[in-house]
Amino acid sequence: MTTGRPHGSGGGTGHPAEHELEDMSQEQLARLASELDDVEVVHNTRKFPVPGTRAEKRAERTVATWFILSALSGLAFIVAFIAWPHEYVSPFEPGHTLYSLYTPVIGFTFGFAVLALGIAVISYVKKFFPDEVSVQQRHDGPSDEVARKTVVAQLVQAGKDTTIGRRSMIKRSAGAAAGLFGIGLGIAAIAPLVRNPWKGGDQAALWVTPWRPVNGETVYLRTDTGVLGEIARIRPEDMAPGSMQTVFPFRESERGDKEALLHAQRASDTPVMLIRLRPGTQVVKRPGQEDFNYGDYYAFSKICTHLGCPTSLYQAQDNRILCPCHQSQFLATEYAKPIFGPATRPLPQLPITVNDEGYFVARSDFIEAVGPAFWERRP
Ligand code: FES
């Protein structure tokens, strides 16, 4: 209800002089704050008017238990985050089960720490905050000096009313829960900065992909047949004009090596779209990359340069490559440059040719970084 009075004028309560203000106790200041705000306390009952009863102690233990559970879960999260084996282990190697539990473990411990902390705070409010019904008139304009000063006292008094001051068990367990939770958050925030993605210089993971030839070994283009270990290399005659297929790198030295084959298919920077344009299609090539294609066949990274989704859709009618995530479109006939949507860079093109056996092979790795932009990207 709006009274039309300026804020802080009070329901008949005048502002005390400064020296009167200094002499007032906290309770008096809190009461004055209520009066100045036109707050009428209709009903106020403490949950435990007699301190030290068994019911009060039981309630205190319940709240503290949730805080302790939150603290233990926060501690478990920190330990798991730091010590649980998180390096990739393939399904064929010992240690895979532990590795595969890494995400569930840190997810559960973190989630339970938040849940228990929330339950602890809610149960403290429900069990110890006094039952109070107050009615306040609405005011216009900003609060005056006295109101600003007394509201602090009012908040302190409210804290006192919750009896938190004499509940050391709850204070200690809450401090432990909040502290460990905060430390866990801090570690989670800082941890990604500890690992150096540039370790390795020019051979760092951000600069090279599994398409890079090692020791002069030929890197073939192969499709995924769905059967691990079945190698389907591609010849030009395998593709009809106006078609596209996803290809991955393959080296003869990987034949029979399930882990290497799996890695070549799962690494985030390996999927490539091999596109066969229709004969006679007009093409604009990127300066310096005029010989990256083989006839009508063009190979572009499938990783969207916006945020890294797979740009899996090739529309043969107008030669557009579409990213389903945020609708970026790239023109296959113009070095996959973006023509619509949030992506700003062309999809990197893989230099390809056909070898003496008649199979598509990569002539080199990509000459630019694959995927979304990142700091320190080279042109
Ligand atoms: S990730 Fe492709 S448009 Fe955003």
Side-chain angles (χ1 to χ4, degrees), residues 304 306-309 323 325-328 342:
C304 183
H306 176 224
L307 290 179
C309 284
C323 178
C325 283
H326 313 102
Q327 285 71 53
S328 282

Side-chain angles (χ1 to χ4, degrees), residues 206-276:
L206 287 170
W207 299 136
V208 297
T209 76
W211 289 100
R212 177 178 54 128
V214 180
N215 300 327
E217 194 177 5
T218 302
V219 182
Y220 293 90
L221 278 62
R222 61 166 287 214
T223 53
D224 177 12
T225 63
V227 179
L228 190 67
E230 185 176 57
I231 309 302
R233 293 177 292 176
I234 303 171
R235 299 171 187 267
E237 55 269 32
D238 294 337
M239 294 178 67
S243 67
M244 182 278 279
Q245 61 180 315
T246 302
V247 294
F248 303 92
F250 168 71
R251 299 168 171 79
E252 278 301 338
S253 61
E254 294 171 349
R255 197 178 282 275
D257 183 342
K258 286 186 174 173
E259 187 179 349
L261 293 173
L262 206 59
H263 177 72
Q265 281 182 217
R266 288 202 177 160
S268 57
D269 48 3
T270 54
V272 159
M273 282 177 292
L274 180 62
I275 295 173
R276 181 177 180 184

